[in-house]
């Protein structure tokens, strides 16, 4: 990840790009006409998500002052776990609510696409706020 960040002069663009690519991977899964295409989408998501996690953790760790680093890292990890818990529950809620009117397959696709838009939207908003506070100015 160091080379990727160094090539972009910060972690901002690689994080932004990898969040977008992860979203594309999930969208491919949601819209896949076959299991093979869904598998490709899942692989794209997995690769992009590994970049997101590496850069995200590195950014949190290096941008926090020594005195509060443990707390900042803890809050960052807790937010990630909260998203990992709440996301599937919300997606299941969208699928359940949509099944009666859309049918199960369309409701699953809609639930996954809603997850993509919400997740990428929140990620981009957080990255923009962090960029404005010079979070990415630290060492790469």
């Amino acid at each position: 990840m160091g080379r990727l960040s160094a090539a972009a002069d910060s972690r901002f663009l690689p994080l932004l790009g990898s969040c977008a690519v992860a979203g594309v991977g999930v969208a491919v899964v949601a819209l896949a006409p076959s299991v093979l295409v869904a598998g490709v989408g899942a692989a794209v998501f997995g690769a992009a998500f590994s970049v997101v996690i590496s850069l995200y953790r590195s950014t949190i760790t290096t941008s926090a002052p020594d005195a509060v680093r443990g707390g900042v890292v803890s809050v960052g990890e807790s937010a990630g776990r909260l998203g990992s818990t709440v996301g599937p529950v919300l997606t299941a809620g969208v699928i359940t609510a949509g099944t009666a009117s859309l049918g199960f397959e369309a409701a699953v696709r809609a639930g996954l696409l809603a997850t993509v838009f919400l997740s990428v939207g929140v990620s981009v908003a957080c990255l923009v706020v962090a960029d404005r506070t010079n979070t990415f100015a630290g060492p790469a």
Side-chain angles (χ1 to χ4, degrees), residues 1-2 4-5 11 14-22 44-62 73 76-84 123 127 136:
M1 297 309 121
L4 187 61
S5 296
R11 293 182 193 102
L15 263 169
L16 188 65
S18 57
C19 283
V21 171
V44 167
F45 167 77
F49 189 68
S50 68
V51 173
V52 170
I53 290 299
S54 296
L55 291 173
Y56 162 77
R57 288 182 175 151
S58 177
T59 299
I60 288 177
T61 302
T62 58
V73 170
E77 289 299 315
S78 295
R81 298 300 150 251
L82 180 63
S84 296
S123 297
L127 287 170
F136 301 103

Side-chain angles (χ1 to χ4, degrees), residues 22-106:
V24 167
V26 176
V28 167
V29 170
L31 301 172
S34 68
V35 173
L36 179 62
V37 174
V40 170
V44 167
F45 167 77
F49 189 68
S50 68
V51 173
V52 170
I53 290 299
S54 296
L55 291 173
Y56 162 77
R57 288 182 175 151
S58 177
T59 299
I60 288 177
T61 302
T62 58
S63 65
D66 291 344
V68 295
R69 182 169 294 142
V72 170
V73 170
S74 178
V75 168
E77 289 299 315
S78 295
R81 298 300 150 251
L82 180 63
S84 296
T85 301
V86 172
V89 173
L90 291 177
T91 302
V94 169
I95 292 168
T96 300
T99 295
S101 61
L102 300 173
F104 181 71
E105 182 179 333

